[in-house]
Amino acid sequence: MSISISDLVRVRARHPEAIAEAADRRARRPLLGDSGRLMIVAADHPARGALAVGTRHLAMANRPDLLERLTLALSRPGVDGVLATADILEDLLLLGALENKVVIGSMNRGGLAGATFELDDRFTGHRAEDLARLHFDAGKLLLRIDYEDRGSLSTMFSTARAVDEMAAHRLPVFVEPFMSRRSDGKVTNDLSAEAVTKSIAIASGLAGTSAYTWLKVPVTNDVDDMAHVMETSTLPAVLLGGEVNGDQDGAYEKWRKALALPTVQGLVVGRSLLYPADGDVGGAVDTAVGLL
């Protein structure tokens, strides 16, 4: 699909109401389809200033290219939907790429990559009321906790209230928790079994209800630990694909093993599918779908 930026800009400039109109008429589907599994493509990275893919530092800054990759991924059999920020989802709405797809809005993008305030991750994206108004299907938020950074407490508090607001609208919310630490000015996430277990326990207990809470969890450093880690909560979960860093086959094998666990309902993958090393977006997506 060839994306015309000039057409998108023309609509946005002259008929901004077209976005709401497209949202009103979009054909919707249940969160879980007949397969009972979820395959979601993620593209919420740019709003956090995270534009790099491998050695290409501004790869995701090319919006026409990103939209072409997304529309291709969404067209593949077995792909259920997309996770992104408002600007990207609204482009996809105008392109007609979200029909009968699960649409997940990204809620907190204030913790910009590399910023001193990265762990004070404020809700600068979708609100629960925005997702409800646009008839989107769910929200996603990131919860990074560093015991040495007071900003984590602000993020925890605002996360709990966001979960409450989503539940009030009966909208699922995917909480992506990490135990994090800052080293040499850079925030890194701890993927040890103990750290992931602790992050799941904390995230599961946030807010006044967990009725609409899902977890979005990384695969631990040792995938064999995942069975015990996922026993921490009864909340439904999807796996965070994360960056592959060259070993695509190894990543797929880790995902395959973790997907067999009873609470794991699916997979959310972004850059490693949209920007695979061999350039074959369709092939990478089809392989990931096959793991389900």
Side-chain angles (χ1 to χ4, degrees):
M1 179 179 184
S2 179
I3 306 299
S4 171
I5 288 296
S6 60
D7 287 346
L8 284 174
V9 172
R10 186 178 301 110
V11 173
R12 283 180 170 277
R14 299 184 180 184
H15 304 289
E17 69 280 0
I19 291 170
E21 292 168 358
D24 285 341
R25 65 174 179 265
R26 180 178 71 91
R28 297 181 65 186
R29 50 152 282 179
L31 183 66
L32 288 177
D34 294 338
S35 70
R37 306 287 263 174
L38 267 180
M39 176 67 213
I40 302 294
V41 178
D44 56 344
H45 313 77
R48 203 179 287 281
L51 301 169
V53 179
T55 58
R56 300 169 57 195
H57 299 300
L58 295 176
M60 295 191 80
N62 186 324
R63 185 54 58 87
D65 178 62
L66 174 58
L67 291 173
E68 286 189 10
R69 292 170 185 269
L70 280 168
T71 53
L72 172 58
L74 286 166
S75 73
R76 301 305 300 171
V79 174
D80 294 290
V82 62
L83 158 63
T85 47
D87 57 328
I88 294 174
L89 292 181
E90 289 165 358
D91 282 344
L92 292 172
L93 268 176
L94 294 174
L95 292 168
L98 300 181
E99 299 301 306
N100 291 302
K101 296 297 181 183
V102 172
V103 182
I104 304 175
S106 191
M107 302 176 73
N108 61 325
R109 312 306 296 169
L112 301 182
T116 57
F117 51 84
E118 185 169 351
L119 288 167
D120 188 354
D121 200 354
R122 306 207 179 180
F123 283 70
T124 57
H126 285 109
R127 301 165 298 176
E129 62 196 78
D130 300 320
L131 298 171
R133 172 175 47 83
L134 291 164
H135 315 295
F136 289 165
D137 304 296
K140 172 260 179 181
L141 54 86
L142 178 62
L143 174 63
R144 291 175 293 184
I145 300 171
D146 180 353
Y147 280 28
E148 301 294 321
D149 193 310
R150 293 181 61 86
S152 295
L153 180 58
S154 297
T155 302
M156 280 186 65
F157 179 81
S158 55
T159 294
R161 299 292 74 81
V163 172
D164 285 333
E165 291 164 8
M166 291 291 285
H169 286 280
R170 298 189 176 184
L171 282 170
V173 58
F174 291 76
V175 179
E176 181 181 342
F178 288 101
M179 304 308 297
S180 304
R181 65 172 64 92
R182 192 181 294 276
S183 177
D184 297 325
K186 182 179 179 181
V187 174
T188 57
N189 300 321
D190 188 343
L191 299 184
S192 67
E194 181 178 351
V196 177
T197 296
K198 185 180 291 186
S199 71
I200 289 174
I202 293 169
S204 298
L206 286 176
T209 179
S210 62
Y212 291 89
T213 304
W214 286 56
L215 297 172
K216 181 170 177 267
V217 298
V219 178
T220 52
N221 290 328
D222 186 344
V223 69
D224 293 331
D225 293 328
M226 283 296 288
H228 294 300
V229 168
M230 296 309 295
E231 290 175 346
T232 308
S233 176
T234 58
L235 299 183
V238 292
L239 298 179
L240 163 65
E243 287 198 74
V244 169
N245 295 323
D247 186 10
Q248 193 100 9
D249 291 338
Y252 287 153
E253 180 61 18
K254 289 178 71 173
W255 298 347
R256 184 189 64 78
K257 288 183 177 180
L259 282 164
L261 299 173
T263 59
V264 178
Q265 307 296 300
L267 188 60
V268 179
V269 192
R271 286 174 284 195
S272 59
L273 296 189
L274 293 173
Y275 300 87
D278 63 3
D280 184 2
V281 175
V285 170
D286 292 348
T287 300
V289 169
L291 300 175
L292 298 174

